[in-house]
Amino acid sequence: MLAPEGRIIMVSGANRGIGRAVAEALYGAGYTLSLAARDPASLKPVAGKWAEGRVLIERYDAEDQATHRRWVDATASRFGRIDGLVNNAGMVVRVRIEDEKDTELDRMWAVNVKAPLSMIRAALPHLRRSGSGRIVNVVSIAGKAVYNNNAGYAMTKFAAVALSHAARRAGWEDGVRCTALCPGFVATDMTADVETFPHEQMMEPGDIAEVVLTILGLSNNASIAELVINCRDDVTM
Ligand SMILES: NC(=O)c1ccc[n+]([C@@H]2O[C@H](COP(=O)([O-])OP(=O)(O)OC[C@H]3O[C@@H](n4cnc5c(N)ncnc54)[C@H](OP(=O)(O)O)[C@@H]3O)[C@@H](O)[C@H]2O)c1
């Protein structure tokens, strides 16, 4: 496994839910982190007491492209390298086929697809220089199968799977490996109003964090292109 010490990993939406659990697990394992959120102050409860030399806090608004390159530039200038990018920030709004909710759909495209693309574009030169750069896109099982009536969310997550494969191919020769991580239900704010599946049977954010740790640690010769992880017997997979 790659040693975490000295490796710089960026995590978006690290202030709560899966992103927070990933940040905490990576810090505990010895990585140095560049964390970002729409409101950087919301990262204080996560990383406020961490060693100053091992964390950078920046602003990332998926809908404001200027913040993407600024975050990447700030990370490279502070640490001199970037070894990993975890595109975690994402959103869900219900947009069924019959719904005329183009504004909501456009926002999901911006946050779930275009922003991860823009982050990959900005970080890729640094990840290439690393020689063992890693990209983990926190997608969803909704990117693998259409299992409910939220056509809009599934469309954006299918596109995020495509983006993951495209990024994997783009960076392959320079040692960049990209994974589309596709969880089923995870108990976070995003699933708080789900009534079709018991919350106590959902995965915990820490389960996803453990998987991210493993993906980041694998050598260049062990690339996981897609990983589906679920809390239920999913007949569609
Ligand atoms: N929970 C699940 O069952 C599940 C399953 C599969 C995949 N996922 C995916 O996992 C990722 C994390 O979800 P979660 O469950 O941890 O959800 P969550 O608790 O609702 O957290 C969502 C995170 O994304 C951030 N975010 C949303 N819109 C943003 C924007 N415009 N710019 C920057 N950050 C933004 C949020 O920041 P703010 O605090 O500023 O809102 C927050 O940090 C998402 O990509 C989601 O689609 C979740």
Side-chain angles (χ1 to χ4, degrees), residues 20 67 104 122 151 161 163 188 199 210 236:
R20 179 175 183 159
T67 66
E104 290 83 349
V161 170
L163 167 64
T188 66
H199 285 253
E210 279 302 315
T236 58

Side-chain angles (χ1 to χ4, degrees), residues 156-185:
T156 64
K157 291 297 187 177
F158 266 71
V161 170
L163 167 64
S164 303
H165 286 289
R168 190 170 55 82
R169 299 190 71 174
W172 187 269
E173 292 303 326
D174 296 306
V176 180
R177 302 291 179 259
C178 180
T179 302
L181 179 54
C182 302
F185 285 130

Side-chain angles (χ1 to χ4, degrees), residues 12-20 36-39 42 60-64 87-92 107 111-112 138-142 147 153 157 181-191 202-203 205:
S12 69
N15 55 321
R16 59 191 176 100
I18 294 170
R20 179 175 183 159
R38 272 193 285 210
D39 174 11
S42 67
Y60 167 77
D61 184 338
E63 294 174 277
D64 176 1
N87 275 318
N88 161 77
M91 64 173 288
V92 61
R107 279 199 73 200
V111 174
N112 295 347
V138 182
V139 185
S140 171
I141 201 161
Y147 62 97
Y153 184 68
K157 291 297 187 177
L181 179 54
C182 302
F185 285 130
V186 184
T188 66
D189 295 342
M190 192 174 273
T191 51
M202 292 181 183
M203 290 176 281

Side-chain angles (χ1 to χ4, degrees), residues 197 230-237:
F197 189 79
N230 213 339
C231 49
R232 58 178 171 179
D233 178 18
D234 193 336
V235 292
T236 58
M237 301 306 299

